[in-house]
Amino acid sequence: INPACLTTVFQMIGNAALPSLFHGQPFRAGQSDKPGPGTVELSPHNTVHTWTGDIALTNVENMGTYYSAGRDPLFYPHHSNIDRLWEAWREVGATHGYRGHVDFTDPDWLDSSFLFYDEESRLVRITVGDVLDTEKLRYKFDGVGMPWLDARPPTTSNVSKNKALLKSVRFPLSLHKVVTVEVRRPQVLQSTQEKEAREEVLVIEGIETDGTEMVKFDIYVNAMEHEKVELSGRELAGSYMCLSHPRIDGTGKGMIVETSMRVALNELLEDLNADGNETVTVTLVPRHGKVKIRSLRIVYMVE
Ligand SMILES: [Cu+2]
């Protein structure tokens, strides 16, 4: 298996033992309209959109921006695959007992509705709850196996910690160059029982971008010399990626959007042999676009 594929699978499934880490944080009336995407949306959904768009075009059309993505026939296999990966995540969760995994009971989510045109051009309203069971939708995915399930991307940096590399970092931070930050763990979760009960999560708060611009940055954990770390290494904990969202009023003016991102740490720290450390070393690597970050902190999540 290609290590880069493994890393993507880990970001999406291995790093998402809680439903909200996979699907994203809940939308609630009166709260943030961008509470924070989950792994399935960031990588692979957003990354594949951008990868298959034309970077030479202003908005990375067709696939790299929402208004035009549906013009590319690739849109349909991509989205079918995203649906399939969701089913794979559910299956892994059911067999590996992800916490809070199986029961979707939140009415805010189940009763959320969307309008579509059916095959007779009639406007129909369907809810999330209507489409959760693929058998009701009259299709089933072929079992293609999960050869990646127990594999691990290799650890690529065995660089000893060099504190001198840690320059003092001020937040809020304009991420225009590589930045390494040491984040204190409020608690050191080391025992199996502690880890089964809670997921330690790195929260990247107040991610501020220009919504008209494509933005990507990568998050590495315990990779002190980032340039020596391969993209496919286990230290790559996740990627933030948002598609360009051009303004339709043609003013070309920026539109500031603010969101957050979460990276699960339990399994990652274990694989990096760092679950006994008091801090986590986080390296943020800007890849595209301008981004500001308000703060980094570690929390413990149960659902
Ligand atoms: Cu899409």
Side-chain angles (χ1 to χ4, degrees), residues 45-46 49 63 66 69 75 78-79 82 243:
H45 174 265
N46 291 358
H49 263 283
M63 277 289 275
Y66 298 107
F75 178 87
H78 174 45
H79 268 268
I82 294 296
L243 274 56

Side-chain angles (χ1 to χ4, degrees), residues 69-214:
R71 291 179 194 160
D72 190 328
L74 197 55
F75 178 87
Y76 300 93
H78 174 45
H79 268 268
S80 303
N81 195 42
I82 294 296
D83 287 355
R84 186 187 67 82
L85 291 168
W86 182 348
E87 288 300 307
W89 175 80
R90 291 168 95 172
E91 200 182 318
V92 172
T95 50
H96 285 61
Y98 285 171
R99 290 176 293 281
H101 167 76
V102 205
D103 293 325
F104 293 112
T105 52
D106 188 336
D108 277 358
W109 191 64
L110 292 174
D111 300 338
S112 291
S113 64
F114 300 87
L115 293 166
F116 291 99
Y117 286 101
D118 71 5
E119 64 278 18
E120 311 269 314
S121 306
R122 286 173 309 212
L123 199 58
V124 290
R125 181 185 292 276
I126 58 170
T127 68
V128 169
D130 290 335
V131 292
L132 277 182
D133 182 354
T134 64
E135 285 193 20
K136 277 197 208 153
L137 298 169
R138 291 172 288 170
Y139 68 84
K140 205 168 117 184
F141 293 103
D142 282 342
V144 293
M146 299 186 192
W148 40 264
L149 195 55
D150 294 312
R152 291 286 182 281
T155 304
T156 54
S157 72
N158 278 312
V159 184
S160 63
K161 280 202 169 187
N162 178 356
K163 297 281 181 194
L165 277 173
L166 281 176
K167 299 187 190 81
S168 70
V169 176
R170 286 255 206 92
F171 285 91
L173 165 81
S174 269
L175 189 64
H176 48 78
K177 59 177 177 13
V178 176
V179 161
T180 296
V181 188
E182 194 122 34
V183 184
R184 183 152 295 280
R185 298 169 74 193
Q187 287 160 50
V188 176
L189 294 194
Q190 217 176 349
S191 77
T192 314
Q193 296 97 303
E194 283 175 316
K195 286 181 195 166
E196 271 169 11
R198 287 179 301 168
E199 184 71 39
E200 188 164 347
V201 177
L202 171 70
V203 189
I204 303 164
E205 289 176 309
I207 301 173
E208 212 179 276
T209 64
D210 177 341
T212 62
E213 193 177 42
M214 179 184 116

Side-chain angles (χ1 to χ4, degrees), residues 175 214-218 220 226 229 231 236 285-289:
L175 189 64
M214 179 184 116
V215 173
K216 183 172 192 272
F217 65 89
D218 292 328
Y220 290 85
H226 62 91
V229 177
L231 201 57
L236 177 59
V285 183
R287 301 288 184 191
H288 201 276

